[in-house]
Every structure is written in structure tokens, then in C-alpha cells.
Amino acid sequence: MKSELDALMQSKNLDAFIVFGNAEHNPPMTYLTGGGHVSHATLIKKRGEEAALFFGDMERDEAAKSGLKLIPYSKYDMNDLAKRSNRDNLLAAAMRCELMFKDLGISAGRVGVYGIYDLSSIFGILSHLQTLMPEIEFVGEAREDSIFMRAMETKDEDEVNRIRKMGKVTTDVVGKVAGFLTSCDVGDDEVLLNENGLPLTVGDVHSKIRLWVAERGAELPSGFIFSIGRDAGVPHSAGNLTDLMKLGQTIVFDIYPAEAGGGYYYDFTRTWSLGYATPEAQELFDQVKEVYNQLSENFDLNVPFKNYQQMTCEYFEAKGHQTPLHTRAPVEGYVHSLGHGVGLNIHERPFSGLTAGEDQRLAPGVVITSEPGLYYPEKGMGFRIEDTLWVRPDGRMEILAEYPYDFVLPMKKWSK
Amino acid sequence: MKSELDALMQSKNLDAFIVFGNAEHNPPMTYLTGGGHVSHATLIKKRGEEAALFFGDMERDEAAKSGLKLIPYSKYDMNDLAKRSNRDNLLAAAMRCELMFKDLGISAGRVGVYGIYDLSSIFGILSHLQTLMPEIEFVGEAREDSIFMRAMETKDEDEVNRIRKMGKVTTDVVGKVAGFLTSCDVGDDEVLLNENGLPLTVGDVHSKIRLWVAERGAELPSGFIFSIGRDAGVPHSAGNLTDLMKLGQTIVFDIYPAEAGGGYYYDFTRTWSLGYATPEAQELFDQVKEVYNQLSENFDLNVPFKNYQQMTCEYFEAKGHQTPLHTRAPVEGYVHSLGHGVGLNIHERPFSGLTAGEDQRLAPGVVITSEPGLYYPEKGMGFRIEDTLWVRPDGRMEILAEYPYDFVLPMKKWSK
């Protein structure tokens, strides 16, 4: 939680940190400002003190919404800095950063560097700044282990409610998609037909998903997945837009809407087969559902997340599938890890890979996904079930948006 | 253009470059891969040679669409690197980068660093990599002057057509908004009423804008502007969602949709007053329109863009307004610069600020905005007109999506 930042800074021996970039699609900045359209901002926090937000004057209204200590960039005379730097933009920006640090009483110590932003210019600015302020040591942290990822790992109730709202958007949209697909007419070769009697494509469904998410005011990263057949067997294939929607093929629908501007996410997957399923697909789906259920029954407070990845691999290997437990980078079988934390990042702590740290646990307040799957692209099929769960402070695991797990969706105007 | 990259690398004395991050919302990566959902990729190009894309195996289908030389990350044994780095993730990632560079025959020289990505981890990786490969000098460039910004400055016809398509989305949506607003009933205090007879808010209009952009398959950065009254007088205020839509107040509508996933943008602004305008507002609007017209008549091939900023400031100062020409960071009057390039970045070269370089010109193939404006927040009004123009190779300036400039929009069901 945000209140842990000072302690986390101390544990990493950081005297201060600096965050670069916009308040949107930039989790550390969004986390501290609460979001809003503040672009090209800089935020500096000294350990134990209030964070200061440096902002462009044109964005003063948006900046004020952050509730942070505000310092407009216009305080620093860029024309003068441009002259003194001989019109070297990177040096001028570094000189302004030096003034900003000094205004906050920071002239030495270890300073963490954060933000999602233009690597090139920041790398250039920090190189100059290092020369200007040799007493400061700038520090980069591994993303998965940074003070922000650690602070964000535990959510407060307000954050959980924001995730829950995105869950409601998700299940509303998924329900609309299911309702639409099962209402379609079916033509030759078991191909679904659209409103005009033409074959329905994966691209048509993508458009509807996008629209239905937008109607609800949320943002949908364009890499969401709605794929059928072979593409469903490739875990991160978004789906081939020209594929036709047909009965009896596995459909993987993985959708992760976020608050507009890149806020909190929800993460969700269902696997469907329209009208009927082949016996082989039904058997593989049943295995995914069975391990999903076993996991749900076994999730327990403060257990390392990777223990459940181990359990999932063992289950699938007993059924004869390849998994990361004994196969390096498998492309068939169970090919990924069980889940991940969800918040301002679609993938954040705790992680569940077999090499994840023991400290990545189902601690009270974390929000995780559970998403076992099986992938057989050569057989033209793939399967995944995913929900987002909150590990409640009382120790209960709560799915933040309930939705049925049915694999075969009966068609309203067709039967075998 | 992309074909200039080798020459630009030579001019900056770069032997190679590395681009980190996703192919979405990451202009250098999007530029080289053509877009698509490739996440956590790395791209390395040696001067004079083909670029290589390093990608996660799960994204092989998306990676293949780039047409680049492909190398899967699975070629490098992360388990081994994790052990050899003593489970220091940043060091392990740096060791992998070292292997990647060596596989491409790069072990010394100046290497540019690019991409929009997590600053902290990349800064940490580069610090380790510098120790592992002391013969390489890593180089950061100022964003506005980087090889990518320079290559991107001149568009080919395919890029212009992609921008033009976003222009069509823009003017379609703007037309729908105008049609909707002018069809509203008007209630007490000249407040517009929604379909249910309740006061129409700025937030209601924002929702419709978002939906109409999504229907057209484009992406709308959440910082788009539709604001009225005082907020219209603050250039970057997105608009206060609870403000009521009223007649006779200035509305600034600045919209910049992009291809889904953060591709090419279009940038556009109109200023409206519904039903009627106050004489003071009409006079200020007429000034903005007059200088807009004068600029359009004077734009000429290869003239430095900032000359037109000078012309705009002189025009407005002659009318008694503050401008950046003689006022530092004005908050009233003409408070910004005339325009900017538009492409994969909403703001890119050429820039038009008074301190911009003489080399930022209306060269054949650039795509720019022209957007003079006036801002009087204390008077509760603001004005801006903006179009996106292509400087055609034949020297003609072409507005990429035409739309009328009317200030007063007559209400269909109301008259004074």
C-alpha cells in the first residue's frame, strides 16, 4: 500500500525517488497522482516527506486534482537554461532536474528512478545529471521487485473496488458476447452468420467487444484475445481477424479492460465451444476445469503463489501433458504460469512462476489471477479459464466478478 | 522516412541501436515492427544491417507479422542466466542482452537506446551491461532530436494515408457531436437537455465522443478535450465533467484519435458557441480565424515552422493580447506555440516554438498542425482552430480532413 513506500525506500536504502512521465499508462505516476491527464510531469519524493509534482502550467487544473505538493515548471527559466547549456536540450533538462532536487533539499544519496517514459531522453538526462550531481547515485530496480511493485502488491479497499468495477464491465461484456454468438443463425459448414446473413468473422466479434467495452467507459488494450481453433492454441495470439466463427471449435476469450487512461485492470478468460464440442476438446476442457477447481479449493492464506504453479504442473503432467516443470519453454500442453497479481499493471506481484520468490504469497490484500490452460495448436484447440481473485483480509478468496464456466454454449437457433 | 535510419545513425555516429518494450504505445518499436501485439520485445539494429526482433515464444505469430529477422528469447537459457547472476534479475537480463548483441556481431561502439518502457529496469540493465561490455558506449538522445524523430518527420504515402483515415474518423465523430448538440431541446437558463429531459453535462458529451470513436475502431487518448466556458480558456483542461452544456458559451473541442494500439494520430480542434455568441466572444473568434487564414495563405515550402509562430504572435500582439513573444509563460492571450508534427507521436517534429531550430521546416512530406488560439479563463472563454496538414511533395499544403469552421452552431429547436 502507498503508506508502505517510506519503509520500502528504507529497505532498499533509497533516500529519494524520481518518477518521470505522464499520469496515464504510467503506473508509478498514476499510483501517486491518482490518475488524470497530467503529461510530461516529474514527481520527486524525499524519504519521509511529501511528494512534489512538477507540472506544465497549462495543466494546472489537472495537476491540482492530485492533491500533491505542486511546483510549476515555469519556476525554472528554460530560456536561461537553454543558453547556459549551449542549447543542449538534454543538458538543459538535467540542469532543471538539479534545481528541482535542490529545491527539495536533495543533493546527495541514493535516488531511485521510475516511470514508463521515453528511455532515450531520460537515459541522456540522467547521464548529464550524474555529472552535475556526483554525490547522487541513481538506481534502477528490476520491475518485478521495485518499491512500487511491492507497495502495489497489497491493495486497499478503494483499489479493490476499482478492480471490482472493471470486473463488472468485463462480465457484462462477456455476457453480451455470449448472447450475441448463441443467437446467430448457422449456415453451411456450421459457420455462424451475421445480421446480414454473411459469415461472421473473428474480426466482427472483436469490433463488438471493443464497442461494448467503450460503451461502459473503460479502455481495452488492443491485445485482448478472442481467437478460435488453431489461434486459440497459441496463448497470446489475439485471434486472426478473418477466421470464420464456426460451431464445435474451441474459442479462447481473454479480456482485460482497464479504467480509461490506464488505471486499474480486471483479467478474465473463458473457453467456449459453440453448439457442441468434440470429445477430445471436452476431455481437455474438463481437465482444465478440474485443476481450476482443485486450485480454488486449495488456495490458502500466505502460501507462496508458486506452490500452486507446482500443483498445476503436477496435475497436467499426470495427465500426460508437457509443462514448464520438466520441459523448457513448452509450446504444447501447459505452457505458462498459473497467474499473476493484477492492479495498475495487468501483470504485477505476486508472480507464480516456478522460480518466483517464496515471498510472493497469497498475503491478505493481494489480487491475483488463477488461469490454468492447455494448448494444442496443431490439433487446432486451446483452453484457459481465468478469474481475478482478491485475498481478503479475513483470509477468504473472493472472485471479484462471478461468471459461469460453461464450455459448450447451446445455439438458440440450431441443434445437432 | 525509415530508409533514412542508416544515414541518421551515421550522422549521430551510432554503430547500432537497441529498442526496448512493447510494439504498442511505443513509437520507435511500432515504427519498425509496423505495430501488432508484441510485448516485452527487444529490437537491435546494427548500422547497415537488417534489424533483429527478439520476442517471447508465445507471441511468435504476432512477431512474424513484423517481417523482421526473428530470434526467440528461448534461444537464451534464462534459468542458467538466473543461476550465473545469483538470481539478480537485472544482471541476468543484462547478460542476455550481452548474448543478443554478440549474436549480431556487436561488441563495441556507440549504441543508441530507445523505446517507451519501464525506466527503472532498463536503467538498471544498462548499468550492468555497461560493466559487462565496457567497449560499448550507450547513448541517450533528446526526444525531439533523436534519429527516430528525424526519420519519422517525413512521411511516406502509406503513413499519410493512415493519418488521413484517422482524419476521416475525426470529422465523422465531430459531425455527429455537432448534430447531436444542435438537436437538443433547451431548458431553463439556456441549458441543453438530454434525451430524458435532464440537463446535458460535459461528461455526457465525453461519453458519446468515446463511444463514437470506438465504433470506428480507433483509440481516443483519454486526455481529449471537450470543455466549455472557463475550462475552454485553459488550453489543456479536458473539461469539467459536471459542467452543464449551455447556449452562448465557448466550447473547445480538441480531439486526436489514433489507430488502435497507439498507431498514427490525427489532431483537430474546433470552437463552437451554441445558439448565439456574445459580441466579445465573436470578436475574439474572428481574430483566431483571421490569423488561421493568414497562416494558411502564407505557409510555404521549406520555410522554418517557427517563422509562423512569430507571425501568429505578432498578429495577436497587434490586437492587444499577450503572447510568448514578449511574455514568459503567459496564461492569458495566445499561450502556446502554433503547431507540431503529427504521426506515431501526437507531438513530433517539426516543432514551431520560437526557440525551435531553423531545420524544423515545412519540408516536403511533413505532416503538421496549425492551431492558433486565444484563452481568457477569467472571462470564461477560450478559442482554438486546428487542422492537420500534409506538406505534399509537390509543395501544396493539404488539409487531411476538411471540416467547416463555423463558430455559432444554430440550434434546431431554439431561436433567440
Side-chain angles (χ1 to χ4, degrees):
Chain A
M1 287 198 270
K2 238 178 280 184
S3 54
E4 300 170 84
L5 272 172
D6 279 315
L8 286 163
M9 289 171 76
Q10 187 144 31
S11 75
K12 299 280 183 103
N13 195 21
L14 292 175
D15 300 290
F17 64 70
I18 182 165
V19 184
F20 293 95
N22 305 331
E24 302 192 335
H25 298 107
N26 183 0
M29 190 64 96
T30 308
Y31 195 57
L32 296 172
T33 62
H37 182 63
V38 185
S39 51
H40 308 297
T42 310
L43 187 148
I44 299 179
K45 180 177 150 53
K46 195 174 172 177
R47 194 170 77 216
E49 297 189 8
E50 186 188 11
L53 183 67
F54 299 84
F55 67 98
D57 292 71
M58 291 210 295
E59 298 185 334
R60 59 187 179 281
D61 288 6
E62 297 292 326
K65 292 178 191 165
S66 71
L68 298 170
K69 176 176 173 179
L70 296 181
I71 304 179
Y73 282 137
S74 60
K75 182 176 177 191
Y76 309 101
D77 185 344
M78 281 310 282
N79 287 331
D80 177 55
L81 293 174
K83 268 180 230 152
R84 283 169 49 208
S85 68
N86 240 329
R87 308 222 166 270
D88 177 332
N89 288 336
L90 288 181
L91 178 55
M95 290 164 78
R96 185 171 69 178
C97 276
E98 182 186 11
L99 296 172
M100 288 155 55
F101 274 116
K102 290 191 168 161
D103 276 352
L104 299 181
I106 299 163
S107 54
R110 281 168 52 88
V111 175
V113 174
Y114 304 95
I116 309 291
Y117 202 50
D118 181 49
L119 298 170
S120 200
S121 56
I122 301 301
F123 185 73
I125 289 170
L126 290 176
S127 303
H128 282 298
L129 197 52
Q130 190 63 86
T131 309
L132 295 170
M133 306 188 82
E135 304 296 308
I136 287 185
E137 180 192 352
F138 292 100
V139 178
E141 285 201 277
R143 189 173 166 279
E144 61 271 30
D145 186 48
S146 76
I147 55 169
F148 282 97
M149 280 302 215
R150 286 182 177 270
M152 290 171 178
E153 185 169 352
T154 312
K155 275 76 179 172
D156 63 29
E157 293 232 6
D158 174 56
E159 293 178 279
V160 173
N161 285 333
R162 290 171 72 173
I163 296 169
R164 199 194 297 275
K165 268 190 199 154
M166 287 300 109
K168 176 83 169 84
V169 168
T170 301
T171 51
D172 284 357
V173 170
V174 171
K176 277 198 78 121
V177 174
F180 166 72
L181 292 174
T182 54
S183 304
C184 284
D185 286 319
V186 178
D188 294 343
D189 295 330
E190 302 188 340
V191 170
L192 272 63
L193 302 178
N194 69 15
E195 301 84 338
N196 306 316
L198 296 171
L200 184 73
T201 64
V202 164
D204 295 335
V205 183
H206 277 225
S207 300
K208 287 184 191 292
I209 295 167
R210 253 194 279 277
L211 184 61
W212 288 332
V213 172
E215 270 185 353
R216 288 158 180 80
E219 180 175 297
L220 186 62
S222 66
F224 76 91
I225 293 167
F226 183 93
S227 58
I228 187 164
R230 179 190 166 277
D231 278 0
V234 181
H236 277 206
S237 171
N240 180 9
L241 300 183
T242 57
D243 280 355
L244 300 184
M245 293 299 305
K246 293 178 82 169
L247 302 184
Q249 296 207 12
T250 60
I251 295 164
V252 168
F253 185 11
D254 184 346
I255 177 175
Y256 38 105
E259 295 170 323
Y264 287 88
Y265 285 88
Y266 194 82
D267 200 359
F268 177 97
T269 308
R270 287 293 180 270
T271 303
W272 294 331
S273 190
L274 298 172
Y276 67 94
T278 64
E280 186 178 19
Q282 185 68 56
E283 188 188 341
L284 293 173
F285 177 84
D286 289 344
Q287 292 176 11
V288 173
K289 184 64 174 57
E290 184 172 42
V291 74
Y292 178 89
N293 289 346
Q294 286 186 9
L295 288 160
S296 298
E297 284 157 23
N298 281 280
F299 281 139
D300 209 357
L301 205 60
N302 291 318
V303 174
F305 199 1
K306 69 176 175 185
N307 292 14
Y308 300 100
Q309 169 71 348
Q310 176 87 24
M311 177 187 298
T312 310
C313 289
E314 286 169 0
Y315 174 92
F316 281 130
E317 291 197 353
K319 300 285 184 189
H321 304 290
Q322 290 193 338
T323 83
L325 188 57
H326 292 105
T327 307
R328 192 173 124 202
V331 295
E332 278 202 349
Y334 175 57
V335 304
H336 52 65
S337 57
L338 178 63
H340 50 81
V342 178
L344 285 171
N345 306 280
I346 182 63
H347 297 126
E348 62 180 39
R349 286 174 64 96
F351 292 102
S352 66
L354 293 170
T355 59
E358 290 271 333
D359 60 333
Q360 308 210 38
R361 290 167 182 267
L362 303 194
V366 309
V367 173
I368 57 160
T369 67
S370 172
E371 47 177 312
L374 284 173
Y375 307 91
Y376 285 97
E378 298 310 317
K379 294 181 181 179
M381 52 180 76
F383 309 84
R384 184 163 64 254
I385 294 173
E386 175 182 29
D387 284 313
T388 296
L389 298 101
W390 175 32
V391 181
R392 296 171 54 103
D394 64 14
R396 210 152 48 79
M397 310 287 148
E398 179 185 339
I399 293 174
L400 288 173
E402 301 269 0
Y403 192 88
Y405 298 95
D406 305 60
F407 175 45
V408 174
L409 302 190
M411 297 296 290
K412 291 174 191 141
K413 305 181 196 161
W414 182 93
S415 62
K416 209 166 184 174
Chain B
M1 287 196 269
K2 237 178 279 184
S3 54
E4 299 170 85
L5 272 172
D6 280 315
L8 286 162
M9 289 171 77
Q10 185 144 33
S11 76
K12 299 282 182 99
N13 195 20
L14 292 175
D15 300 291
F17 64 70
I18 182 166
V19 184
F20 293 95
N22 305 330
E24 301 193 335
H25 299 107
N26 183 0
M29 190 63 97
T30 308
Y31 194 56
L32 296 173
T33 63
H37 181 62
V38 185
S39 51
H40 309 296
T42 310
L43 187 148
I44 299 179
K45 181 178 148 53
K46 195 172 171 178
R47 195 169 77 217
E49 297 189 8
E50 188 189 8
L53 183 67
F54 299 84
F55 67 97
D57 292 70
M58 292 210 294
E59 298 184 335
R60 58 189 180 280
D61 287 6
E62 296 293 326
K65 291 179 190 162
S66 71
L68 297 170
K69 175 178 173 177
L70 297 181
I71 303 178
Y73 282 137
S74 60
K75 182 177 177 190
Y76 309 101
D77 184 346
M78 281 311 283
N79 288 333
D80 177 54
L81 293 174
K83 268 178 231 152
R84 283 170 49 207
S85 68
N86 239 331
R87 307 222 166 269
D88 177 332
N89 288 336
L90 288 180
L91 178 55
M95 289 163 78
R96 185 172 69 179
C97 276
E98 184 187 9
L99 295 173
M100 288 155 55
F101 274 117
K102 289 191 169 161
D103 276 352
L104 299 180
I106 300 163
S107 55
R110 281 169 50 90
V111 175
V113 175
Y114 303 95
I116 310 291
Y117 201 50
D118 181 50
L119 298 170
S120 201
S121 56
I122 302 300
F123 186 72
I125 290 169
L126 289 176
S127 303
H128 282 299
L129 197 51
Q130 190 64 85
T131 310
L132 294 171
M133 306 188 83
E135 303 296 309
I136 286 184
E137 181 192 351
F138 292 100
V139 178
E141 286 202 277
R143 187 172 166 280
E144 61 273 26
D145 186 46
S146 75
I147 55 169
F148 281 97
M149 281 302 217
R150 287 182 177 269
M152 291 172 178
E153 185 169 353
T154 312
K155 274 78 179 170
D156 62 29
E157 293 232 4
D158 173 57
E159 292 179 279
V160 172
N161 285 334
R162 290 171 73 174
I163 296 169
R164 198 194 299 274
K165 268 190 200 155
M166 287 300 109
K168 176 83 169 81
V169 168
T170 302
T171 50
D172 283 358
V173 169
V174 171
K176 277 197 79 122
V177 174
F180 166 73
L181 292 173
T182 54
S183 303
C184 285
D185 285 320
V186 177
D188 294 345
D189 295 329
E190 302 188 341
V191 171
L192 272 63
L193 303 178
N194 68 17
E195 300 86 337
N196 306 316
L198 297 170
L200 183 73
T201 65
V202 165
D204 295 334
V205 184
H206 277 225
S207 300
K208 287 184 190 293
I209 294 166
R210 253 194 278 277
L211 183 63
W212 289 332
V213 172
E215 271 185 350
R216 287 158 180 79
E219 180 175 298
L220 185 62
S222 66
F224 76 91
I225 293 167
F226 182 93
S227 58
I228 188 164
R230 178 189 168 276
D231 278 0
V234 181
H236 278 206
S237 171
N240 180 9
L241 300 184
T242 58
D243 280 356
L244 299 184
M245 292 300 305
K246 293 178 82 166
L247 302 184
Q249 295 206 13
T250 59
I251 295 164
V252 168
F253 185 10
D254 185 345
I255 177 175
Y256 39 104
E259 295 170 321
Y264 287 88
Y265 285 88
Y266 194 83
D267 200 359
F268 178 96
T269 309
R270 287 295 181 269
T271 304
W272 294 331
S273 191
L274 297 172
Y276 67 94
T278 64
E280 187 179 21
Q282 185 69 56
E283 189 187 340
L284 293 172
F285 177 84
D286 290 344
Q287 292 176 12
V288 173
K289 184 64 174 58
E290 185 171 42
V291 74
Y292 178 89
N293 289 346
Q294 286 186 11
L295 289 160
S296 299
E297 283 158 24
N298 281 280
F299 282 137
D300 210 354
L301 205 59
N302 292 318
V303 173
F305 199 1
K306 70 175 176 185
N307 291 15
Y308 299 100
Q309 168 72 348
Q310 176 87 23
M311 178 187 297
T312 311
C313 289
E314 285 169 0
Y315 174 93
F316 281 130
E317 291 196 354
K319 300 286 184 188
H321 305 290
Q322 290 192 339
T323 83
L325 188 57
H326 292 105
T327 307
R328 192 174 124 201
V331 294
E332 278 201 351
Y334 175 57
V335 304
H336 52 66
S337 58
L338 177 62
H340 50 83
V342 179
L344 285 172
N345 305 280
I346 182 63
H347 298 125
E348 62 179 40
R349 286 174 64 96
F351 293 101
S352 66
L354 293 169
T355 58
E358 291 271 334
D359 60 334
Q360 308 210 37
R361 292 167 180 267
L362 303 194
V366 309
V367 173
I368 58 159
T369 68
S370 172
E371 47 178 310
L374 285 172
Y375 307 92
Y376 285 96
E378 299 310 316
K379 294 181 180 178
M381 53 181 75
F383 309 84
R384 182 163 65 256
I385 294 172
E386 175 184 30
D387 284 313
T388 296
L389 298 102
W390 174 33
V391 182
R392 296 170 56 103
D394 64 13
R396 212 154 45 80
M397 310 287 150
E398 180 186 339
I399 294 174
L400 288 173
E402 301 270 0
Y403 192 88
Y405 299 94
D406 305 58
F407 176 46
V408 174
L409 303 190
M411 298 297 290
K412 290 175 191 140
K413 306 180 196 163
W414 181 94
S415 61
K416 210 167 182 172

